[in-house]
Amino acid sequence: MAHQVTIKDIAKILGISASTVSRALKDHPDISPKTKRMVQAFAQKVNYRPNALALNLRRSKTNTIGIIIPEIVHHFFSSVISGIEKVAYAAGYNVMICQSNEDYNREVIDAQALLDNRVDGVLMSLSKTTFDHDHIRNLIDHGIPVVFFDRAPNEIEADKVFIDDFMGAKIATHHLIATGCRNILHLAAPSHLLIGQRRRDGYIKALEENGIQFNPDFIIKCDTRDDVFANAGKILQLANQIDGIFTVNDSTAIATMQVLMKNGIRIPEHISVIGFGDGPNANICYPPLSTVEQKGTEIGKEATQLLLNQIENTEDIYKPTTKTITPVLRIRESTLM
Amino acid sequence: MAHQVTIKDIAKILGISASTVSRALKDHPDISPKTKRMVQAFAQKVNYRPNALALNLRRSKTNTIGIIIPEIVHHFFSSVISGIEKVAYAAGYNVMICQSNEDYNREVIDAQALLDNRVDGVLMSLSKTTFDHDHIRNLIDHGIPVVFFDRAPNEIEADKVFIDDFMGAKIATHHLIATGCRNILHLAAPSHLLIGQRRRDGYIKALEENGIQFNPDFIIKCDTRDDVFANAGKILQLANQIDGIFTVNDSTAIATMQVLMKNGIRIPEHISVIGFGDGPNANICYPPLSTVEQKGTEIGKEATQLLLNQIENTEDIYKPTTKTITPVLRIRESTLM
DNA sequence: ATGAAAGCGCTAACAT
DNA sequence: ATGTTAGCGCTTTCAT
């Protein structure tokens, strides 16, 4: 097992001091060209690599970004990670990932572990069970910048990156209207959830902007596959009054299409259906689902960029920004052209 | 911004030496109960936390596991990460994730970065463009244990964890036969890919074990959604000679069902279909797909366990193991009961 | 142009 | 029972 060669090793072998080696390696002007060449050539030969642990301790800087995420196995979140990873890597940072599993206690421990390891910054999305934010304040108090994505606490001033749910819902509904729909059903998430509320508002706004009277009967709380089956009767009963459906997420849209088609309703000829999310199954279902792309990768990239700005601008006092990413329409075959 | 309190700080305030503080904090028997109480109480009060950077350097041990994975946004791989994360966390380790993006050069850089950071071990799955393994040997030469999952090099002796593709295919085919199928089509991956070959062999073996004559016409190279559409004619032509289809992955199965149903063939009444993978869409498609679960989480857990064994058993020479995870059948509605 | 020494925070011989 | 010292690998003043 090969021992990692250190600056001291090089110094001893070359018969010079460690400080000279250190300087030579980083091209310090004081060092004579001859010494530099010698040291650099030798270092190369023995495959010298600085010990990151020692550097970290010395500089109190790790070039590592911490991530706290509710769950990794989820298309949206894994896309975010992927985006983070890309930008972080390009800037010379590593990523340390913690999964809270939607558990507040775990999130607290994760935050502490990242602090203990002196990560240079933290990107996080709150767990569903997090209502207290002392662990986050603790990070910030210790000078660790935090940027939130997707799920952020109102109580904390920090950079935040969101998808624009309102706009996404509006765009989706506009698309239905533009392709001729006039009576549009919305399958919604409960309105105590922010996304439920925002997407619902976007839907209503789009109707309004097109001079379509909003009909409260055309909103059903129904945001999971099972919900759709439970509400199948209600949906089918409305089927002959409507010509479009906007659902709060893709899996609801897909289940809805299945229920409708099973009952002889053709999509999009009789009813157009549009979802929200653009996960992998939007392409695989039948018919391929028109939907709104949630842009996880871009959210991850943006959040990381904001974090790096903060990490590298240590100078002045930082004014928190909130960035809103506008989702884009993915038109497939479940809506008319 | 709160300065992190150090052992030295505590020592100074309490008027004792740093070593006494250090010992008191870890309940060293030499320290008097009185001093211990004093130190521990004070440490608690000021929320003392050991600096992981200093510990890492001192012990040349980071309690961090490195992961190199081809891509994060992929159900199988993200499940593996999730499994890794669980076991690692329970054992007090953090995870550092690198995404090779199926790029050999990136993989080399990632390996080096993990080495520089002195991770205690590495879990990896090779990128598709990796044919040289010096970067991996480099890790091992420097005493960093490496465990592979899913994609491993034959040339390297190391722990490896795989899903048993052969067995999975056999189980799937057996299930079709057990539910009455006799003429089973296999939509296969190219046989130069290991999984293509192994799954194909499992299919043939199952036929054999049931005394069913293997018909070479009943294997079509077809392993993507687009492939299915391209081969739709061929598949439909065989439709009246067959009663079951085993596909090499789920998306192929789903596309096949769509083609068949569009042509009036009922599933599973006319033809049963079974896939391989059990990604999120197996539940969402219509009809819900019977398939073979690839057990990503379990693979991640097993691999991590093997790695931890190696990290912690530094004593004797290590004899590499290969672990094969047997996949399990997920029976849904695309096959008969 | 180079070297010696101190220090980042912690621990573990080695004193006493 | 406690303190002193040295050292993990590196950088950086401060000499020379």
Side-chain angles (χ1 to χ4, degrees):
Chain A
M1 167 176 142
H3 155 77
Q4 285 281 1
V5 21
T6 70
I7 282 194
K8 238 164 123 182
D9 296 332
I10 298 184
K12 205 180 312 168
I13 296 175
L14 259 35
I16 55 181
S17 80
S19 26
T20 304
V21 175
S22 172
R23 286 189 273 242
L25 287 172
K26 41 183 35 83
D27 233 354
H28 189 107
D30 278 0
I31 304 297
S32 78
K34 202 182 115 204
T35 312
K36 266 187 201 167
R37 273 198 306 276
M38 172 178 78
V39 171
Q40 288 170 358
F42 186 76
Q44 170 111 36
K45 199 184 111 206
V46 299
N47 191 24
Y48 167 77
R49 300 242 90 217
N51 182 328
L53 268 42
L55 285 178
N56 289 348
L57 178 59
R58 179 102 232 288
R59 305 209 268 249
S60 299
K61 167 97 166 67
T62 52
N63 275 272
T64 299
I65 289 175
I67 303 178
I68 303 179
I69 207 156
E71 51 171 344
I72 296 170
V73 192
H74 188 299
H75 179 259
F76 174 71
F77 285 130
S78 62
S79 319
V80 174
I81 295 179
S82 189
I84 292 171
E85 217 271 346
K86 276 203 182 90
V87 174
Y89 168 77
Y93 286 77
N94 289 104
V95 277
M96 197 159 226
I97 301 191
C98 304
Q99 184 174 16
S100 68
N101 279 311
E102 304 284 8
D103 174 11
Y104 163 71
N105 293 308
R106 177 67 192 271
E107 193 180 282
V108 172
I109 293 170
D110 288 340
Q112 188 57 257
L114 294 176
L115 177 55
D116 289 349
N117 280 282
R118 302 293 191 275
V119 294
D120 297 335
V122 170
L123 292 167
M124 73 183 291
S125 193
L126 294 179
S127 101
K128 281 181 183 155
T129 55
T130 299
F131 300 102
D132 179 288
H133 307 108
D134 285 352
H135 57 305
I136 298 164
R137 290 217 181 72
N138 189 38
L139 288 173
I140 297 173
D141 285 351
H142 287 286
I144 300 193
V146 177
V147 175
F148 292 94
F149 56 89
D150 197 51
R151 303 197 207 142
N154 285 320
E155 297 82 350
I156 295 210
E157 290 239 320
D159 287 346
K160 297 170 187 175
V161 182
F162 300 104
I163 185 77
D164 192 335
D165 288 301
F166 174 80
M167 190 60 86
K170 218 178 84 171
I171 292 172
T173 312
H174 266 292
H175 170 66
L176 290 176
I177 297 170
T179 57
C181 302
R182 284 296 170 275
N183 297 292
I184 301 172
L185 174 66
H186 176 39
L187 300 182
S191 57
H192 71 265
L193 289 183
L194 269 185
I195 63 159
Q197 191 188 307
R198 294 206 198 103
R199 294 183 188 175
R200 180 196 142 113
D201 289 349
Y203 155 79
I204 293 174
K205 181 70 173 175
L207 296 180
E208 201 179 299
E209 287 178 353
N210 285 277
I212 297 177
Q213 174 71 36
F214 162 57
N215 178 349
D217 292 345
F218 284 178
I219 294 193
I220 300 177
K221 190 261 138 200
C222 174
D223 65 339
T224 67
R225 194 171 169 77
D226 288 343
D227 262 7
V228 172
F229 299 130
N231 285 296
K234 218 190 277 183
I235 296 170
L236 288 167
Q237 210 178 318
L238 288 170
N240 59 347
Q241 308 172 44
I242 61 176
D243 45 19
I245 303 181
F246 164 53
T247 68
V248 70
N249 58 45
D250 284 355
S251 50
T252 303
I254 293 168
T256 305
M257 296 199 298
Q258 290 170 356
V259 165
L260 294 176
M261 292 189 330
K262 198 155 196 172
N263 286 273
I265 295 164
R266 292 174 57 193
I267 294 166
E269 293 81 359
H270 298 159
I271 298 181
S272 287
V273 176
I274 191 164
F276 203 119
D278 199 33
N281 34 50
N283 250 314
I284 271 175
C285 60
Y286 183 77
L289 183 69
S290 292
T291 184
V292 171
E293 191 191 339
Q294 228 175 330
K295 298 182 116 7
T297 310
E298 194 172 327
I299 290 179
K301 285 182 179 170
E302 279 292 350
T304 311
Q305 201 47 67
L306 287 175
L307 186 65
L308 291 175
N309 289 160
Q310 253 190 97
I311 291 176
E312 273 147 31
N313 279 15
T314 176
E315 314 297 338
D316 35 17
I317 293 137
Y318 198 81
K319 195 182 145 290
T321 345
T322 290
K323 210 148 213 165
T324 311
I325 308 287
T326 305
V328 326
L329 209 50
R330 290 279 163 240
I331 302 176
R332 300 207 178 84
E333 296 164 30
S334 66
T335 53
L336 293 165
M337 281 301 147
Chain B
M1 170 178 140
H3 155 77
Q4 284 281 1
V5 21
T6 70
I7 281 194
K8 238 165 122 180
D9 296 333
I10 298 184
K12 203 180 315 169
I13 296 175
L14 259 37
I16 56 182
S17 80
S19 32
T20 304
V21 174
S22 171
R23 284 189 276 242
L25 286 172
K26 40 182 39 81
D27 232 354
H28 189 108
D30 279 1
I31 305 297
S32 79
K34 204 182 114 205
T35 312
K36 267 187 202 167
R37 272 198 306 277
M38 172 178 77
V39 172
Q40 288 169 358
F42 186 76
Q44 170 112 37
K45 199 184 113 208
V46 297
N47 191 22
Y48 168 76
R49 297 244 91 215
N51 182 328
L53 268 41
L55 285 177
N56 290 346
L57 177 60
R58 178 104 233 288
R59 306 208 268 249
S60 297
K61 167 95 166 70
T62 52
N63 274 271
T64 299
I65 289 175
I67 303 179
I68 303 179
I69 206 155
E71 49 171 345
I72 295 170
V73 191
H74 188 298
H75 180 260
F76 174 71
F77 285 129
S78 62
S79 318
V80 175
I81 295 179
S82 189
I84 292 171
E85 218 269 348
K86 277 205 182 88
V87 175
Y89 169 76
Y93 286 77
N94 289 103
V95 275
M96 196 159 226
I97 300 191
C98 304
Q99 184 174 17
S100 68
N101 279 310
E102 303 284 9
D103 174 11
Y104 163 70
N105 294 308
R106 177 69 193 270
E107 192 179 284
V108 172
I109 294 171
D110 288 340
Q112 188 58 257
L114 294 177
L115 177 55
D116 289 349
N117 279 284
R118 302 293 191 278
V119 294
D120 296 336
V122 170
L123 292 167
M124 74 184 291
S125 193
L126 293 180
S127 100
K128 280 181 184 157
T129 56
T130 299
F131 300 102
D132 178 287
H133 306 107
D134 285 351
H135 57 304
I136 297 164
R137 289 216 181 73
N138 189 38
L139 288 173
I140 297 174
D141 286 350
H142 286 286
I144 300 194
V146 177
V147 174
F148 292 94
F149 56 89
D150 197 50
R151 303 198 207 141
N154 284 322
E155 298 82 350
I156 295 209
E157 290 239 319
D159 287 346
K160 297 171 187 175
V161 181
F162 300 105
I163 185 79
D164 192 336
D165 287 302
F166 174 81
M167 189 62 86
K170 217 177 86 172
I171 292 172
T173 311
H174 266 292
H175 170 65
L176 289 177
I177 297 170
T179 57
C181 302
R182 283 296 169 275
N183 298 292
I184 300 172
L185 174 66
H186 176 40
L187 301 182
S191 56
H192 70 265
L193 290 182
L194 270 184
I195 63 160
Q197 192 188 306
R198 294 207 199 104
R199 292 182 190 177
R200 179 195 143 112
D201 290 349
Y203 156 78
I204 293 174
K205 180 70 174 177
L207 295 180
E208 203 179 299
E209 287 178 354
N210 285 276
I212 297 177
Q213 175 71 36
F214 163 57
N215 178 349
D217 292 345
F218 284 177
I219 294 193
I220 301 177
K221 190 261 138 201
C222 175
D223 66 339
T224 66
R225 194 171 170 77
D226 288 344
D227 262 8
V228 171
F229 299 129
N231 286 295
K234 217 190 277 183
I235 295 170
L236 288 167
Q237 210 178 318
L238 288 169
N240 59 348
Q241 307 172 43
I242 61 176
D243 46 19
I245 303 182
F246 164 53
T247 68
V248 70
N249 58 45
D250 284 355
S251 50
T252 302
I254 293 168
T256 304
M257 295 200 299
Q258 289 170 355
V259 166
L260 294 175
M261 292 187 332
K262 198 154 197 173
N263 286 272
I265 295 163
R266 293 175 56 192
I267 295 166
E269 294 81 358
H270 298 158
I271 298 181
S272 287
V273 176
I274 190 163
F276 202 118
D278 198 32
N281 34 50
N283 251 314
I284 272 175
C285 61
Y286 184 79
L289 183 69
S290 292
T291 186
V292 171
E293 190 191 339
Q294 229 174 330
K295 296 181 120 3
T297 310
E298 193 171 327
I299 289 179
K301 286 183 180 172
E302 279 292 349
T304 311
Q305 201 47 67
L306 287 175
L307 185 66
L308 291 176
N309 290 159
Q310 254 190 94
I311 292 175
E312 272 147 30
N313 280 12
T314 176
E315 314 298 339
D316 36 16
I317 293 137
Y318 198 81
K319 195 180 145 291
T321 345
T322 290
K323 210 149 213 164
T324 312
I325 307 287
T326 305
V328 326
L329 208 51
R330 289 278 163 244
I331 302 176
R332 299 207 179 85
E333 295 164 31
S334 67
T335 53
L336 294 165
M337 281 299 148

